Amino acid sequence: MGKLRSILRWLREREAAITRQVGRLVEIESSSYDPAGVNRLADELSKEWKKRGARVERIRTARAAGRGDLLRCEVRPRKGAEKEQILVLGHTDTVYERGTLARAPFRVRGGRAYGPGTLDMKAGLAIALAAMDALGAAGLEPRRRVVFLWTPDEEVGSEVSRAKIEREARRSAAVLVLEPGTGPRGKLKTARKGVGEFTLEVTGRAAHAGVNPESGVNAVHELAMQIARVARFGDARRGITVNADVIEGGTRTNVIAEHARARVDVRVARAADIPRVTARFRALRPILPGARLRVSGGIDRPPMERRVAERLFAQAQRQARELGMQIEESSTGGGSDGNFTAALGVPTLDGLGAAGAGAHTPGEYIRTRSLVERAALLAALLHTL
Ligand SMILES: [Zn+2]
């Protein structure tokens, strides 16, 4: 096991270099809605992976989807390549529109690296490269074939990537997700809630609010009552949350509103609750006479339930101990692509990326030391899983 410790030492000496690598990736802006930016990042990553001898495949998405390409980088060990693979998941897109970098440039200060997308999750992409370098330097290999799949649309629901993620997951013994860890210590994520969105659209009848109010049907009033109803579908004890987060409707104050619409965020901790919650939304009927109600949407990211990650987490803990580190686990209401793979029953461990804070905010940063620790942990997992 001296070898694993030597990996950690080797990486420690390269903390600054790995941090610079994160910087190079952050400085290629890659909003989900900017396919050209995402593709420039894919170019850069593809160069880096080819340097390391990976088989790199660019998977183009339908132009109409308005997303960048997926990147699939495969590393084969000399022996054992035919066994079930390990899938490592990450995403190249960020929530930041182009131009954010000019206001919040990449910078390193006091053991932290700041910049849009550092934590979520360009650090994860750099950690994967560093892990492979560390294995190589120690004369070690991954035990199995490893597929690194970098997707362009995780931050906007993974519509173009989902089928590809699931196809790779079905061939995999385990899935390792390089999303950031939880909190300042970067706890791993062994459970995530399922996530969905429902839309309620109400059509009423417009009328003058003063002249003939009796012939109107107020869509805003109808929607307000429906929202009060769906708010009661939440159940904190079962880990179900229901939040109407966007509403719109009406035109002006003297006109009885003809249209109103709400978008409702729904999260469930257990897969078994999906049909029940969905049925409750589908069963909604108009309350005001003459109002029409249309309900659409659903829960499209199933929950990642803890039991699927349990053994994998225990293995990661053993590896961490041998490296002289401690890791902890956590659960979160946020979804990731790990939700899809865990729902297939494939052991999935998430939150293996950097530790830091402020994801999706201007103050986003990583702790640079965590780059080293996580690269060592990933190297150890790839070598032993
Ligand atoms: Zn992310």
Side-chain angles (χ1 to χ4, degrees), residues 197-235:
E197 183 182 314
F198 287 88
T199 301
L200 311 183
E201 278 176 281
V202 178
T203 309
R205 197 182 315 117
H208 192 297
V211 178
N212 58 339
E214 67 288 346
S215 55
V217 178
N218 193 319
V220 167
H221 288 195
E222 171 71 25
L223 183 65
M225 290 188 282
Q226 295 292 349
I227 289 173
R229 264 190 188 169
V230 303
R232 289 199 301 271
F233 298 170
D235 183 342

Side-chain angles (χ1 to χ4, degrees), residues 91 93 119-121 154-155 179-180 336 360:
H91 58 87
D93 63 323
L119 180 61
D120 192 7
M121 53 155 280
E154 195 275 341
E155 297 290 4
E179 290 286 347
S336 89
H360 299 196

Side-chain angles (χ1 to χ4, degrees), residues 38-334:
V38 169
N39 286 344
R40 271 195 300 278
L41 181 59
D43 290 341
E44 173 70 17
L45 289 168
S46 131
K47 208 173 68 199
E48 292 294 332
W49 282 97
K50 281 179 185 160
K51 263 197 248 168
R52 289 161 177 84
R55 261 176 51 183
V56 176
E57 188 191 344
R58 245 342 230 266
I59 305 166
R60 283 178 220 294
T61 52
R63 188 159 299 216
R67 304 280 179 261
D69 300 340
L70 283 83
L71 200 63
R72 180 187 189 277
C73 309
E74 185 182 300
V75 174
R76 286 172 171 261
R78 280 180 292 272
K79 280 185 290 184
E82 304 317 314
K83 282 187 272 187
E84 261 188 316
Q85 66 187 23
I86 301 294
L87 177 62
V88 180
L89 279 182
H91 58 87
T92 45
D93 63 323
T94 73
V95 298
Y96 302 99
E97 62 191 51
R98 200 190 289 187
T100 306
L101 191 67
R103 295 192 301 277
F106 179 76
R107 62 210 183 279
V108 183
R109 195 178 305 133
R112 294 174 174 185
Y114 296 82
T118 40
L119 180 61
D120 192 7
M121 53 155 280
K122 297 201 169 162
L125 302 173
I127 285 167
L129 290 168
M132 288 308 299
D133 290 344
L135 283 178
L140 300 174
E141 281 192 314
R143 201 163 77 87
R144 304 169 190 255
R145 177 162 43 97
V146 185
V147 170
F148 298 85
L149 188 66
W150 307 143
T151 64
D153 63 338
E154 195 275 341
E155 297 290 4
V156 288
S158 303
E159 210 175 307
V160 303
S161 304
R162 180 175 182 169
K164 293 170 185 82
I165 292 166
E166 289 175 340
R167 177 151 35 94
E168 294 291 351
R170 286 197 187 91
R171 304 178 187 144
S172 302
V175 180
L176 307 175
V177 188
L178 295 176
E179 290 286 347
T182 302
R185 287 199 305 260
K187 295 179 184 177
L188 302 195
K189 293 167 179 171
T190 51
R192 283 181 179 273
K193 283 186 179 178
V195 188
E197 183 182 314
F198 287 88
T199 301
L200 311 183
E201 278 176 281
V202 178
T203 309
R205 197 182 315 117
H208 192 297
V211 178
N212 58 339
E214 67 288 346
S215 55
V217 178
N218 193 319
V220 167
H221 288 195
E222 171 71 25
L223 183 65
M225 290 188 282
Q226 295 292 349
I227 289 173
R229 264 190 188 169
V230 303
R232 289 199 301 271
F233 298 170
D235 183 342
R237 210 171 28 84
R238 292 187 70 80
I240 301 171
T241 61
V242 176
N243 283 290
D245 290 327
V246 181
I247 61 169
E248 54 203 354
T251 51
R252 50 200 300 166
T253 52
N254 59 3
V255 177
I256 289 178
E258 187 168 11
H259 297 286
R261 196 167 83 113
R263 287 165 61 195
V264 185
D265 178 285
V266 178
R267 291 168 196 254
V268 297
R270 301 172 213 185
D273 285 329
I274 294 176
R276 201 169 55 89
V277 174
T278 305
R280 294 188 78 178
F281 271 91
R282 300 266 174 227
L284 290 171
R285 293 292 173 263
I287 298 166
L288 294 176
R292 278 180 293 148
L293 173 67
R294 209 174 83 87
V295 178
S296 56
I299 297 171
D300 41 20
R301 265 195 225 258
M304 188 173 107
E305 298 191 30
R306 186 180 180 279
R307 58 187 166 76
V308 184
E310 218 165 339
R311 279 189 45 214
L312 196 50
F313 177 70
Q315 265 171 297
Q317 259 183 326
R318 274 197 301 279
Q319 297 302 324
R321 262 197 301 275
E322 288 187 13
L323 287 163
M325 309 184 314
Q326 280 210 339
I327 51 170
E328 296 164 84
E329 65 178 316
S330 66
S331 67
T332 170

